[in-house]
Amino acid sequence: PCELSMLSSGRRSIAASHSLSSGHLLTDEDLTWVRPGSGIAIGKEYEIIGRKTKRSIKLGELIMYEDIK
């Protein structure tokens, strides 16, 4: 149990490297990686690059699957 919470806090997730507007086409320059790992995991970039955002996303905010078309 304790190890699971440490695993999540040590993992990184994909976040916005700058503010993104709604309808923005995602590229690798739009992405950065932050802790905790409660969002899309590192290595899953290919699943969202080339897709558009459904809403505006702020600098440093985690990008979630529900945020992309």
Side-chain angles (χ1 to χ4, degrees):
C2 179
E3 293 83 7
L4 292 177
S5 65
M6 290 298 294
L7 186 69
S8 177
S9 64
R11 198 172 67 99
R12 292 181 184 247
S13 294
I14 298 172
S17 63
H18 55 94
S19 294
L20 305 171
S21 59
S22 179
H24 180 83
L25 186 66
L26 291 171
T27 68
D28 56 342
E29 289 93 25
D30 298 322
L31 311 179
T32 191
W33 295 263
V34 298
R35 287 188 175 109
S38 56
I40 300 172
I42 290 177
K44 303 284 185 174
E45 302 86 10
Y46 66 91
E47 294 180 5
I48 64 171
I49 290 174
R51 296 175 69 183
K52 292 185 178 183
T53 58
K54 288 183 182 177
R55 65 175 186 90
S56 296
I57 302 172
K58 297 178 186 173
L59 165 69
E61 186 177 352
L62 293 181
I63 299 173
M64 309 299 273
Y65 285 113
E66 54 266 16
D67 297 331
I68 54 176
K69 298 179 187 181

Short mmCIF file of all heavy atoms in Angstrom, two decimals:
data_model
loop_
_atom_site.label_atom_id
_atom_site.label_comp_id
_atom_site.label_asym_id
_atom_site.label_seq_id
_atom_site.Cartn_x
_atom_site.Cartn_y
_atom_site.Cartn_z
N PRO A 1 0.81 -1.21 0.00
CA PRO A 1 0.00 0.00 0.00
C PRO A 1 0.86 1.27 0.00
O PRO A 1 0.65 2.14 -0.81
CB PRO A 1 -0.84 -0.09 1.24
CG PRO A 1 -0.83 -1.52 1.66
CD PRO A 1 0.42 -2.10 1.09
N CYS A 2 1.80 1.37 0.91
CA CYS A 2 2.67 2.54 0.99
C CYS A 2 3.51 2.68 -0.28
O CYS A 2 3.74 3.79 -0.76
CB CYS A 2 3.57 2.43 2.21
SG CYS A 2 4.68 3.82 2.40
N GLU A 3 3.96 1.57 -0.81
CA GLU A 3 4.78 1.61 -2.02
C GLU A 3 4.01 2.14 -3.22
O GLU A 3 4.57 2.80 -4.08
CB GLU A 3 5.34 0.21 -2.34
CG GLU A 3 6.34 -0.31 -1.34
CD GLU A 3 5.69 -0.96 -0.13
OE1 GLU A 3 4.44 -1.12 -0.12
OE2 GLU A 3 6.41 -1.27 0.83
N LEU A 4 2.71 1.86 -3.28
CA LEU A 4 1.90 2.33 -4.39
C LEU A 4 1.80 3.84 -4.41
O LEU A 4 1.86 4.47 -5.46
CB LEU A 4 0.51 1.70 -4.35
CG LEU A 4 0.45 0.21 -4.61
CD1 LEU A 4 -0.99 -0.29 -4.47
CD2 LEU A 4 0.98 -0.12 -5.99
N SER A 5 1.64 4.48 -3.24
CA SER A 5 1.56 5.94 -3.21
C SER A 5 2.91 6.55 -3.59
O SER A 5 2.97 7.59 -4.23
CB SER A 5 1.11 6.44 -1.83
OG SER A 5 2.08 6.12 -0.85
N MET A 6 4.01 5.92 -3.23
CA MET A 6 5.33 6.41 -3.61
C MET A 6 5.55 6.26 -5.12
O MET A 6 6.16 7.12 -5.74
CB MET A 6 6.43 5.64 -2.86
CG MET A 6 6.49 5.95 -1.39
SD MET A 6 6.86 7.67 -1.06
CE MET A 6 8.52 7.76 -1.70
N LEU A 7 5.03 5.19 -5.70
CA LEU A 7 5.17 4.96 -7.12
C LEU A 7 4.50 6.09 -7.90
O LEU A 7 5.07 6.64 -8.84
CB LEU A 7 4.55 3.61 -7.50
CG LEU A 7 4.74 3.15 -8.92
CD1 LEU A 7 6.21 2.81 -9.15
CD2 LEU A 7 3.89 1.95 -9.20
N SER A 8 3.30 6.47 -7.51
CA SER A 8 2.57 7.53 -8.20
C SER A 8 3.27 8.87 -8.04
O SER A 8 3.37 9.64 -8.99
CB SER A 8 1.14 7.62 -7.65
OG SER A 8 0.46 8.67 -8.26
N SER A 9 3.78 9.18 -6.86
CA SER A 9 4.42 10.47 -6.65
C SER A 9 5.78 10.55 -7.32
O SER A 9 6.26 11.63 -7.62
CB SER A 9 4.54 10.77 -5.15
OG SER A 9 5.40 9.84 -4.53
N GLY A 10 6.43 9.42 -7.58
CA GLY A 10 7.72 9.41 -8.23
C GLY A 10 7.64 9.38 -9.74
O GLY A 10 8.60 9.69 -10.44
N ARG A 11 6.48 9.04 -10.28
CA ARG A 11 6.27 8.94 -11.72
C ARG A 11 6.01 10.32 -12.30
O ARG A 11 5.54 11.22 -11.61
CB ARG A 11 5.05 8.03 -11.95
CG ARG A 11 4.93 7.46 -13.31
CD ARG A 11 3.80 6.44 -13.36
NE ARG A 11 2.50 7.05 -13.17
CZ ARG A 11 1.67 7.35 -14.16
NH1 ARG A 11 1.98 7.09 -15.40
NH2 ARG A 11 0.51 7.89 -13.91
N ARG A 12 6.31 10.51 -13.56
CA ARG A 12 6.06 11.80 -14.23
C ARG A 12 4.90 11.68 -15.21
O ARG A 12 4.62 10.60 -15.71
CB ARG A 12 7.31 12.25 -14.97
CG ARG A 12 8.43 12.62 -14.05
CD ARG A 12 9.64 13.08 -14.83
NE ARG A 12 10.73 13.34 -13.94
CZ ARG A 12 11.23 14.56 -13.74
NH1 ARG A 12 10.74 15.59 -14.39
NH2 ARG A 12 12.22 14.73 -12.90
N SER A 13 4.26 12.82 -15.44
CA SER A 13 3.14 12.90 -16.37
C SER A 13 3.39 14.00 -17.38
O SER A 13 4.18 14.92 -17.14
CB SER A 13 1.84 13.21 -15.63
OG SER A 13 1.48 12.16 -14.79
N ILE A 14 2.68 13.94 -18.48
CA ILE A 14 2.79 14.95 -19.54
C ILE A 14 1.98 16.19 -19.14
O ILE A 14 0.83 16.09 -18.72
CB ILE A 14 2.28 14.39 -20.88
CG1 ILE A 14 3.14 13.18 -21.29
CG2 ILE A 14 2.28 15.46 -21.95
CD1 ILE A 14 2.61 12.43 -22.49
N ALA A 15 2.63 17.37 -19.30
CA ALA A 15 2.00 18.65 -19.00
C ALA A 15 2.30 19.62 -20.14
O ALA A 15 3.15 19.36 -21.00
CB ALA A 15 2.53 19.21 -17.68
N ALA A 16 1.60 20.75 -20.14
CA ALA A 16 1.80 21.78 -21.16
C ALA A 16 3.08 22.56 -20.89
O ALA A 16 3.28 23.05 -19.78
CB ALA A 16 0.60 22.72 -21.19
N SER A 17 3.94 22.71 -21.89
CA SER A 17 5.18 23.47 -21.72
C SER A 17 4.94 24.97 -21.85
O SER A 17 5.81 25.78 -21.53
CB SER A 17 6.23 23.02 -22.74
OG SER A 17 5.79 23.28 -24.05
N HIS A 18 3.76 25.35 -22.32
CA HIS A 18 3.32 26.75 -22.41
C HIS A 18 1.81 26.72 -22.51
O HIS A 18 1.21 25.65 -22.67
CB HIS A 18 3.96 27.46 -23.61
CG HIS A 18 3.74 26.77 -24.92
ND1 HIS A 18 2.71 27.09 -25.76
CD2 HIS A 18 4.40 25.74 -25.52
CE1 HIS A 18 2.76 26.31 -26.83
NE2 HIS A 18 3.79 25.47 -26.70
N SER A 19 1.17 27.86 -22.42
CA SER A 19 -0.29 27.91 -22.50
C SER A 19 -0.76 27.49 -23.88
O SER A 19 -0.18 27.90 -24.89
CB SER A 19 -0.80 29.32 -22.19
OG SER A 19 -0.54 29.65 -20.85
N LEU A 20 -1.79 26.64 -23.91
CA LEU A 20 -2.33 26.12 -25.17
C LEU A 20 -3.79 26.55 -25.29
O LEU A 20 -4.56 26.42 -24.33
CB LEU A 20 -2.25 24.59 -25.18
CG LEU A 20 -0.87 23.98 -24.94
CD1 LEU A 20 -0.98 22.48 -24.77
CD2 LEU A 20 0.07 24.31 -26.08
N SER A 21 -4.18 27.03 -26.45
CA SER A 21 -5.56 27.42 -26.67
C SER A 21 -6.40 26.22 -27.09
O SER A 21 -5.87 25.20 -27.54
CB SER A 21 -5.63 28.52 -27.73
OG SER A 21 -5.08 28.05 -28.94
N SER A 22 -7.69 26.37 -26.96
CA SER A 22 -8.60 25.32 -27.41
C SER A 22 -8.44 25.14 -28.91
O SER A 22 -8.32 26.11 -29.66
CB SER A 22 -10.04 25.73 -27.08
OG SER A 22 -10.94 24.76 -27.51
N GLY A 23 -8.36 23.90 -29.37
CA GLY A 23 -8.20 23.60 -30.79
C GLY A 23 -6.76 23.57 -31.25
O GLY A 23 -6.49 23.40 -32.44
N HIS A 24 -5.81 23.73 -30.32
CA HIS A 24 -4.38 23.73 -30.66
C HIS A 24 -3.94 22.33 -31.07
O HIS A 24 -4.27 21.35 -30.41
CB HIS A 24 -3.57 24.21 -29.45
CG HIS A 24 -2.10 24.23 -29.68
ND1 HIS A 24 -1.48 25.28 -30.31
CD2 HIS A 24 -1.13 23.33 -29.39
CE1 HIS A 24 -0.19 25.04 -30.38
NE2 HIS A 24 0.05 23.86 -29.84
N LEU A 25 -3.18 22.23 -32.16
CA LEU A 25 -2.63 20.96 -32.63
C LEU A 25 -1.34 20.68 -31.86
O LEU A 25 -0.38 21.46 -31.95
CB LEU A 25 -2.34 21.04 -34.13
CG LEU A 25 -1.90 19.74 -34.80
CD1 LEU A 25 -3.03 18.71 -34.77
CD2 LEU A 25 -1.48 20.01 -36.23
N LEU A 26 -1.32 19.61 -31.09
CA LEU A 26 -0.19 19.31 -30.20
C LEU A 26 1.04 18.83 -30.97
O LEU A 26 0.93 17.99 -31.87
CB LEU A 26 -0.59 18.26 -29.18
CG LEU A 26 -1.59 18.70 -28.12
CD1 LEU A 26 -2.08 17.50 -27.31
CD2 LEU A 26 -0.99 19.75 -27.21
N THR A 27 2.20 19.36 -30.58
CA THR A 27 3.50 18.93 -31.11
C THR A 27 4.38 18.57 -29.92
O THR A 27 4.02 18.86 -28.76
CB THR A 27 4.17 20.05 -31.92
OG1 THR A 27 4.55 21.11 -31.04
CG2 THR A 27 3.28 20.57 -33.03
N ASP A 28 5.53 18.00 -30.18
CA ASP A 28 6.42 17.64 -29.07
C ASP A 28 6.93 18.87 -28.32
O ASP A 28 7.22 18.79 -27.13
CB ASP A 28 7.59 16.78 -29.55
CG ASP A 28 8.41 17.41 -30.66
OD1 ASP A 28 7.93 18.34 -31.31
OD2 ASP A 28 9.54 16.95 -30.85
N GLU A 29 6.99 20.05 -28.97
CA GLU A 29 7.41 21.28 -28.29
C GLU A 29 6.39 21.77 -27.26
O GLU A 29 6.71 22.58 -26.40
CB GLU A 29 7.68 22.40 -29.30
CG GLU A 29 8.93 22.20 -30.12
CD GLU A 29 8.64 21.49 -31.44
OE1 GLU A 29 7.50 21.58 -31.94
OE2 GLU A 29 9.55 20.82 -31.95
N ASP A 30 5.15 21.29 -27.37
CA ASP A 30 4.09 21.69 -26.44
C ASP A 30 4.12 20.91 -25.14
O ASP A 30 3.38 21.24 -24.21
CB ASP A 30 2.71 21.48 -27.09
CG ASP A 30 2.52 22.31 -28.34
OD1 ASP A 30 2.99 23.47 -28.36
OD2 ASP A 30 1.90 21.80 -29.30
N LEU A 31 4.94 19.87 -25.07
CA LEU A 31 4.90 18.94 -23.94
C LEU A 31 6.11 19.05 -23.04
O LEU A 31 7.23 19.30 -23.50
CB LEU A 31 4.80 17.50 -24.46
CG LEU A 31 3.73 17.21 -25.51
CD1 LEU A 31 3.79 15.75 -25.92
CD2 LEU A 31 2.35 17.59 -25.02
N THR A 32 5.88 18.87 -21.75
CA THR A 32 6.93 18.75 -20.76
C THR A 32 6.49 17.67 -19.77
O THR A 32 5.36 17.18 -19.86
CB THR A 32 7.21 20.10 -20.06
OG1 THR A 32 8.41 20.00 -19.30
CG2 THR A 32 6.06 20.54 -19.16
N TRP A 33 7.36 17.29 -18.86
CA TRP A 33 7.05 16.21 -17.93
C TRP A 33 7.21 16.70 -16.50
O TRP A 33 8.21 17.31 -16.17
CB TRP A 33 7.97 15.01 -18.20
CG TRP A 33 7.68 14.44 -19.54
CD1 TRP A 33 6.88 13.37 -19.80
CD2 TRP A 33 8.12 14.90 -20.81
NE1 TRP A 33 6.80 13.15 -21.16
CE2 TRP A 33 7.57 14.09 -21.80
CE3 TRP A 33 8.95 15.95 -21.23
CZ2 TRP A 33 7.79 14.26 -23.15
CZ3 TRP A 33 9.18 16.14 -22.58
CH2 TRP A 33 8.61 15.29 -23.52
N VAL A 34 6.20 16.43 -15.69
CA VAL A 34 6.18 16.90 -14.30
C VAL A 34 5.74 15.78 -13.37
O VAL A 34 5.17 14.78 -13.80
CB VAL A 34 5.23 18.11 -14.14
CG1 VAL A 34 5.68 19.29 -14.97
CG2 VAL A 34 3.79 17.76 -14.49
N ARG A 35 6.04 15.96 -12.09
CA ARG A 35 5.54 15.07 -11.04
C ARG A 35 4.38 15.77 -10.37
O ARG A 35 4.35 16.99 -10.34
CB ARG A 35 6.64 14.80 -10.02
CG ARG A 35 7.70 13.88 -10.55
CD ARG A 35 8.66 13.47 -9.44
NE ARG A 35 9.60 12.49 -9.96
CZ ARG A 35 10.88 12.72 -10.19
NH1 ARG A 35 11.40 13.89 -9.93
NH2 ARG A 35 11.65 11.77 -10.67
N PRO A 36 3.39 15.11 -9.83
CA PRO A 36 3.25 13.66 -9.70
C PRO A 36 2.74 13.02 -10.98
O PRO A 36 2.29 13.71 -11.89
CB PRO A 36 2.23 13.50 -8.59
CG PRO A 36 1.34 14.69 -8.74
CD PRO A 36 2.28 15.80 -9.20
N GLY A 37 2.77 11.72 -11.01
CA GLY A 37 2.39 10.97 -12.19
C GLY A 37 0.94 10.58 -12.23
O GLY A 37 0.61 9.42 -12.43
N SER A 38 0.04 11.54 -12.05
CA SER A 38 -1.39 11.21 -12.04
C SER A 38 -2.06 11.44 -13.39
O SER A 38 -3.27 11.29 -13.50
CB SER A 38 -2.09 12.03 -10.96
OG SER A 38 -1.85 13.42 -11.16
N GLY A 39 -1.27 11.79 -14.42
CA GLY A 39 -1.83 12.03 -15.75
C GLY A 39 -1.30 11.02 -16.76
O GLY A 39 -1.02 9.87 -16.42
N ILE A 40 -1.14 11.47 -18.01
CA ILE A 40 -0.64 10.61 -19.08
C ILE A 40 0.85 10.36 -18.84
O ILE A 40 1.62 11.30 -18.65
CB ILE A 40 -0.87 11.26 -20.45
CG1 ILE A 40 -2.37 11.51 -20.68
CG2 ILE A 40 -0.29 10.39 -21.57
CD1 ILE A 40 -2.70 12.31 -21.93
N ALA A 41 1.24 9.12 -18.85
CA ALA A 41 2.62 8.73 -18.51
C ALA A 41 3.61 9.04 -19.62
O ALA A 41 3.26 9.10 -20.80
CB ALA A 41 2.66 7.24 -18.20
N ILE A 42 4.86 9.23 -19.21
CA ILE A 42 5.97 9.36 -20.17
C ILE A 42 5.95 8.11 -21.05
O ILE A 42 5.70 7.01 -20.58
CB ILE A 42 7.31 9.46 -19.41
CG1 ILE A 42 7.39 10.79 -18.69
CG2 ILE A 42 8.48 9.29 -20.36
CD1 ILE A 42 8.65 10.95 -17.86
N GLY A 43 6.23 8.30 -22.32
CA GLY A 43 6.21 7.19 -23.27
C GLY A 43 4.91 7.09 -24.03
O GLY A 43 4.79 6.33 -24.98
N LYS A 44 3.91 7.87 -23.61
CA LYS A 44 2.61 7.88 -24.28
C LYS A 44 2.42 9.12 -25.15
O LYS A 44 1.32 9.39 -25.61
CB LYS A 44 1.48 7.80 -23.24
CG LYS A 44 1.53 6.61 -22.33
CD LYS A 44 1.06 5.37 -23.02
CE LYS A 44 1.02 4.22 -22.03
NZ LYS A 44 0.45 3.04 -22.62
N GLU A 45 3.51 9.88 -25.37
CA GLU A 45 3.42 11.12 -26.15
C GLU A 45 2.83 10.87 -27.52
O GLU A 45 2.05 11.67 -28.03
CB GLU A 45 4.81 11.76 -26.33
CG GLU A 45 5.53 12.09 -25.06
CD GLU A 45 6.33 10.94 -24.50
OE1 GLU A 45 6.50 9.90 -25.18
OE2 GLU A 45 6.78 11.06 -23.36
N TYR A 46 3.22 9.76 -28.13
CA TYR A 46 2.75 9.44 -29.49
C TYR A 46 1.23 9.34 -29.56
O TYR A 46 0.66 9.48 -30.64
CB TYR A 46 3.39 8.13 -29.96
CG TYR A 46 2.96 6.92 -29.18
CD1 TYR A 46 1.86 6.16 -29.59
CD2 TYR A 46 3.62 6.53 -28.01
CE1 TYR A 46 1.44 5.06 -28.86
CE2 TYR A 46 3.20 5.43 -27.28
CZ TYR A 46 2.11 4.71 -27.71
OH TYR A 46 1.69 3.62 -26.98
N GLU A 47 0.57 9.12 -28.43
CA GLU A 47 -0.89 9.01 -28.42
C GLU A 47 -1.58 10.38 -28.52
O GLU A 47 -2.75 10.44 -28.88
CB GLU A 47 -1.37 8.30 -27.16
CG GLU A 47 -0.94 6.85 -27.09
CD GLU A 47 -1.42 6.15 -25.84
OE1 GLU A 47 -2.17 6.74 -25.04
OE2 GLU A 47 -1.03 4.98 -25.65
N ILE A 48 -0.85 11.45 -28.19
CA ILE A 48 -1.49 12.77 -28.21
C ILE A 48 -0.87 13.75 -29.20
O ILE A 48 -1.53 14.71 -29.58
CB ILE A 48 -1.55 13.38 -26.79
CG1 ILE A 48 -0.16 13.67 -26.23
CG2 ILE A 48 -2.33 12.49 -25.85
CD1 ILE A 48 -0.18 14.48 -24.94
N ILE A 49 0.37 13.54 -29.62
CA ILE A 49 0.99 14.44 -30.61
C ILE A 49 0.21 14.31 -31.93
O ILE A 49 -0.12 13.21 -32.36
CB ILE A 49 2.48 14.11 -30.81
CG1 ILE A 49 3.26 14.51 -29.55
CG2 ILE A 49 3.05 14.81 -32.04
CD1 ILE A 49 4.72 14.12 -29.57
N GLY A 50 -0.11 15.46 -32.51
CA GLY A 50 -0.89 15.49 -33.74
C GLY A 50 -2.38 15.57 -33.51
O GLY A 50 -3.15 15.65 -34.48
N ARG A 51 -2.79 15.57 -32.26
CA ARG A 51 -4.22 15.71 -31.93
C ARG A 51 -4.48 17.12 -31.42
O ARG A 51 -3.55 17.83 -31.04
CB ARG A 51 -4.61 14.66 -30.90
CG ARG A 51 -4.47 13.25 -31.51
CD ARG A 51 -4.74 12.15 -30.53
NE ARG A 51 -6.14 12.11 -30.15
CZ ARG A 51 -6.64 11.26 -29.25
NH1 ARG A 51 -5.84 10.39 -28.65
NH2 ARG A 51 -7.91 11.27 -28.94
N LYS A 52 -5.73 17.54 -31.40
CA LYS A 52 -6.10 18.89 -30.98
C LYS A 52 -6.65 18.90 -29.56
O LYS A 52 -7.26 17.93 -29.11
CB LYS A 52 -7.15 19.47 -31.93
CG LYS A 52 -6.61 19.74 -33.31
CD LYS A 52 -7.65 20.41 -34.17
CE LYS A 52 -7.06 20.72 -35.54
NZ LYS A 52 -8.03 21.45 -36.36
N THR A 53 -6.45 20.04 -28.89
CA THR A 53 -6.98 20.21 -27.53
C THR A 53 -8.47 20.56 -27.60
O THR A 53 -8.91 21.25 -28.52
CB THR A 53 -6.23 21.32 -26.79
OG1 THR A 53 -6.34 22.53 -27.51
CG2 THR A 53 -4.76 20.96 -26.58
N LYS A 54 -9.22 20.06 -26.63
CA LYS A 54 -10.65 20.37 -26.55
C LYS A 54 -10.89 21.66 -25.77
O LYS A 54 -11.96 22.24 -25.88
CB LYS A 54 -11.39 19.25 -25.81
CG LYS A 54 -11.53 17.98 -26.58
CD LYS A 54 -12.35 16.99 -25.76
CE LYS A 54 -12.49 15.66 -26.44
NZ LYS A 54 -13.23 14.71 -25.59
N ARG A 55 -9.90 22.07 -24.97
CA ARG A 55 -10.04 23.25 -24.11
C ARG A 55 -8.69 23.92 -23.98
O ARG A 55 -7.66 23.36 -24.36
CB ARG A 55 -10.58 22.85 -22.73
CG ARG A 55 -9.61 21.97 -21.97
CD ARG A 55 -10.09 21.67 -20.54
NE ARG A 55 -9.09 20.95 -19.78
CZ ARG A 55 -8.14 21.51 -19.05
NH1 ARG A 55 -8.05 22.82 -18.98
NH2 ARG A 55 -7.27 20.77 -18.39
N SER A 56 -8.68 25.11 -23.42
CA SER A 56 -7.43 25.80 -23.13
C SER A 56 -6.74 25.08 -21.98
O SER A 56 -7.39 24.63 -21.03
CB SER A 56 -7.70 27.26 -22.74
OG SER A 56 -8.25 27.95 -23.82
N ILE A 57 -5.41 24.98 -22.05
CA ILE A 57 -4.61 24.33 -21.02
C ILE A 57 -3.51 25.29 -20.62
O ILE A 57 -2.79 25.81 -21.48
CB ILE A 57 -4.03 22.99 -21.53
CG1 ILE A 57 -5.16 22.06 -21.99
CG2 ILE A 57 -3.18 22.33 -20.46
CD1 ILE A 57 -4.70 20.80 -22.69
N LYS A 58 -3.37 25.54 -19.31
CA LYS A 58 -2.38 26.50 -18.81
C LYS A 58 -0.99 25.89 -18.74
O LYS A 58 -0.84 24.67 -18.65
CB LYS A 58 -2.78 26.96 -17.41
CG LYS A 58 -4.08 27.70 -17.36
CD LYS A 58 -4.43 28.07 -15.95
CE LYS A 58 -5.80 28.70 -15.87
NZ LYS A 58 -6.23 28.91 -14.50
N LEU A 59 0.02 26.75 -18.76
CA LEU A 59 1.41 26.36 -18.59
C LEU A 59 1.55 25.47 -17.35
O LEU A 59 1.07 25.81 -16.27
CB LEU A 59 2.28 27.61 -18.41
CG LEU A 59 3.68 27.42 -17.87
CD1 LEU A 59 4.55 26.71 -18.89
CD2 LEU A 59 4.29 28.75 -17.51
N GLY A 60 2.16 24.29 -17.51
CA GLY A 60 2.41 23.39 -16.40
C GLY A 60 1.25 22.50 -16.01
O GLY A 60 1.40 21.60 -15.19
N GLU A 61 0.08 22.73 -16.59
CA GLU A 61 -1.10 21.93 -16.26
C GLU A 61 -0.99 20.55 -16.92
O GLU A 61 -0.54 20.44 -18.06
CB GLU A 61 -2.35 22.65 -16.76
CG GLU A 61 -3.64 21.98 -16.36
CD GLU A 61 -4.87 22.76 -16.83
OE1 GLU A 61 -4.73 23.90 -17.32
OE2 GLU A 61 -5.97 22.20 -16.71
N LEU A 62 -1.37 19.52 -16.18
CA LEU A 62 -1.36 18.17 -16.75
C LEU A 62 -2.31 18.09 -17.94
O LEU A 62 -3.40 18.65 -17.91
CB LEU A 62 -1.79 17.14 -15.71
CG LEU A 62 -0.86 16.90 -14.53
CD1 LEU A 62 -1.45 15.81 -13.62
CD2 LEU A 62 0.53 16.51 -14.97
N ILE A 63 -1.88 17.39 -18.97
CA ILE A 63 -2.74 17.13 -20.13
C ILE A 63 -3.33 15.74 -19.93
O ILE A 63 -2.61 14.76 -19.76
CB ILE A 63 -1.93 17.19 -21.45
CG1 ILE A 63 -1.32 18.59 -21.63
CG2 ILE A 63 -2.82 16.82 -22.63
CD1 ILE A 63 -0.38 18.71 -22.81
N MET A 64 -4.65 15.68 -19.92
CA MET A 64 -5.36 14.43 -19.70
C MET A 64 -5.99 13.99 -21.03
O MET A 64 -6.22 14.80 -21.92
CB MET A 64 -6.45 14.63 -18.64
CG MET A 64 -5.94 15.28 -17.35
SD MET A 64 -4.67 14.32 -16.52
CE MET A 64 -5.67 13.27 -15.53
N TYR A 65 -6.28 12.69 -21.13
CA TYR A 65 -6.89 12.17 -22.36
C TYR A 65 -8.20 12.89 -22.68
O TYR A 65 -8.51 13.15 -23.84
CB TYR A 65 -7.14 10.67 -22.25
CG TYR A 65 -5.89 9.84 -22.40
CD1 TYR A 65 -5.40 9.12 -21.32
CD2 TYR A 65 -5.18 9.80 -23.59
CE1 TYR A 65 -4.24 8.35 -21.45
CE2 TYR A 65 -4.03 9.06 -23.73
CZ TYR A 65 -3.56 8.32 -22.65
OH TYR A 65 -2.42 7.58 -22.77
N GLU A 66 -8.97 13.28 -21.66
CA GLU A 66 -10.25 13.94 -21.91
C GLU A 66 -10.07 15.38 -22.41
O GLU A 66 -11.02 16.00 -22.85
CB GLU A 66 -11.16 13.91 -20.67
CG GLU A 66 -10.54 14.47 -19.43
CD GLU A 66 -9.88 13.42 -18.54
OE1 GLU A 66 -9.62 12.29 -18.99
OE2 GLU A 66 -9.62 13.75 -17.39
N ASP A 67 -8.83 15.88 -22.38
CA ASP A 67 -8.54 17.25 -22.87
C ASP A 67 -8.24 17.28 -24.37
O ASP A 67 -8.05 18.37 -24.92
CB ASP A 67 -7.33 17.83 -22.14
CG ASP A 67 -7.58 18.00 -20.66
OD1 ASP A 67 -8.74 18.20 -20.26
OD2 ASP A 67 -6.59 17.95 -19.89
N ILE A 68 -8.15 16.13 -25.01
CA ILE A 68 -7.77 16.08 -26.42
C ILE A 68 -8.82 15.38 -27.27
O ILE A 68 -9.55 14.53 -26.76
CB ILE A 68 -6.39 15.42 -26.62
CG1 ILE A 68 -6.36 14.06 -25.96
CG2 ILE A 68 -5.28 16.30 -26.09
CD1 ILE A 68 -5.09 13.29 -26.18
N LYS A 69 -8.88 15.78 -28.55
CA LYS A 69 -9.85 15.19 -29.49
C LYS A 69 -9.21 14.01 -30.19
O LYS A 69 -8.04 13.97 -30.44
CB LYS A 69 -10.26 16.22 -30.55
CG LYS A 69 -10.95 17.41 -29.98
CD LYS A 69 -11.28 18.37 -31.09
CE LYS A 69 -11.82 19.66 -30.52
NZ LYS A 69 -12.19 20.61 -31.53
#
